[in-house]
């Protein structure tokens, strides 16, 4: 075939047909609604006073480094490790007027460290872990999926800044980070 001739067959480039409407259902996802960042509920049995005040929640990073495998002949090949590593969970919340939600986090952190209260002997550290759930809601506010996190312990709690120079009513917020051992996704 020369440059000026046309082919009677269409070329197949391996790109699947994408029919947006009125076409094949196999090319369209069953749910095309987008997730909203405000559609969630956080629950943790050790922090019942915190769930209502949660403003932001960040799921942990998940991943791991790849192994470099050297072969005598050929290039270095990267293969995945045998397990995934979870990062920390970050939670931003409003502090209530009596500071009970902030104080409950401080108490939980103290449960995880050996300390002396000068009235009794040093407390042994058995650890105080808990489970928590992040429930995702549809756009109609119906629960449909839950992230169950196990081995939850608080590792970092931000400070609280007070100021007399504020002109607007800014509410006090704090951020807490949790280490997590495992999490799984459950359909509701």
């Amino acid at each position: 075939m020369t440059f000026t001739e046309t082919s009677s067959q269409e070329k197949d480039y391996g790109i699947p047909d994408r029919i947006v409407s009125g076409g094949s259902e196999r090319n369209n996802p069953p749910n095309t609604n987008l997730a909203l960042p405000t559609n969630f509920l956080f629950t943790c049995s050790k922090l019942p006073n915190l769930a209502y005040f949660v403003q932001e929640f960040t799921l942990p990073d998940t991943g791991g480094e790849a192994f470099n495998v050297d072969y005598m002949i050929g290039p270095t090949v990267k293969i995945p490790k045998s397990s995934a590593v979870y990062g920390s969970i970050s939670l931003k919340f409003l502090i209530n007027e009596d500071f009970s939600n902030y104080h409950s986090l401080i108490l939980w952190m103290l449960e995880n460290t050996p300390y002396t209260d000068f009235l009794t002997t040093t407390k042994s550290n058995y650890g105080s872990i808990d489970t928590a759930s992040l429930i995702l809601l549809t756009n109609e506010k119906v629960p449909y999926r839950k992230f169950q996190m196990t081995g939850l312990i608080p590792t970092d709690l931000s400070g609280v800044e007070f100021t007399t120079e504020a002109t607007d009513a800014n509410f006090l917020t704090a951020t807490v980070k949790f280490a997590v051992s495992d999490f799984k996704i459950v359909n509701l």
Side-chain angles (χ1 to χ4, degrees), residues 43 67 74 130:
T43 61
F67 283 124
D130 197 17

Side-chain angles (χ1 to χ4, degrees), residues 24 124 179:
S24 172
S124 59

Side-chain angles (χ1 to χ4, degrees), residues 10-166:
E10 276 190 45
K11 292 185 179 182
D12 181 18
Y13 295 103
I15 301 172
D17 294 331
R18 181 166 188 244
I19 302 170
V20 177
S21 63
S24 172
E25 288 296 320
R26 66 183 172 94
N27 292 331
N28 293 329
N31 185 355
T32 57
N33 293 332
L34 302 177
L36 293 173
T38 56
N39 289 348
F40 72 92
L41 297 171
F42 174 75
T43 61
C44 181
S45 60
K46 279 191 129 344
L47 302 170
N49 295 332
L50 187 71
Y52 177 80
F53 298 99
V54 173
Q55 298 292 300
E56 294 177 14
F57 187 91
T58 304
L59 287 171
D61 296 335
T62 306
E65 295 294 320
F67 283 124
N68 289 328
V69 179
D70 295 325
Y71 291 101
M72 290 175 46
I73 302 172
T76 300
V77 178
K78 293 187 181 222
I79 59 172
K81 286 186 176 179
S82 61
S83 64
V85 177
Y86 301 111
S88 61
I89 293 170
S90 178
L91 187 84
K92 182 177 178 182
F93 62 97
L94 293 168
I95 300 173
N96 57 355
E97 187 177 40
D98 63 356
F99 276 71
S100 62
N101 56 8
Y102 190 82
H103 189 249
S104 64
L105 280 162
I106 292 172
L107 291 177
W108 187 4
M109 293 176 86
L110 289 175
E111 286 178 13
N112 287 320
T113 57
Y115 66 94
T116 304
D117 60 6
F118 301 109
L119 298 175
T120 61
T121 60
T122 302
K123 176 180 157 262
S124 59
N125 182 12
Y126 296 111
S128 179
I129 60 173
D130 197 17
T131 59
S133 296
L134 177 73
I135 300 171
L136 302 180
L137 307 173
T138 64
N139 293 335
E140 290 86 27
K141 304 295 185 197
V142 176
Y144 73 96
R145 189 157 292 144
K146 176 167 60 170
F147 288 88
Q148 287 182 324
M149 294 155 276
T150 57
L152 199 71
I153 55 172
T155 58
D156 188 29
L157 180 61
S158 69
V160 180
E161 182 180 340
F162 293 90
T163 181
T164 59
E165 298 174 359

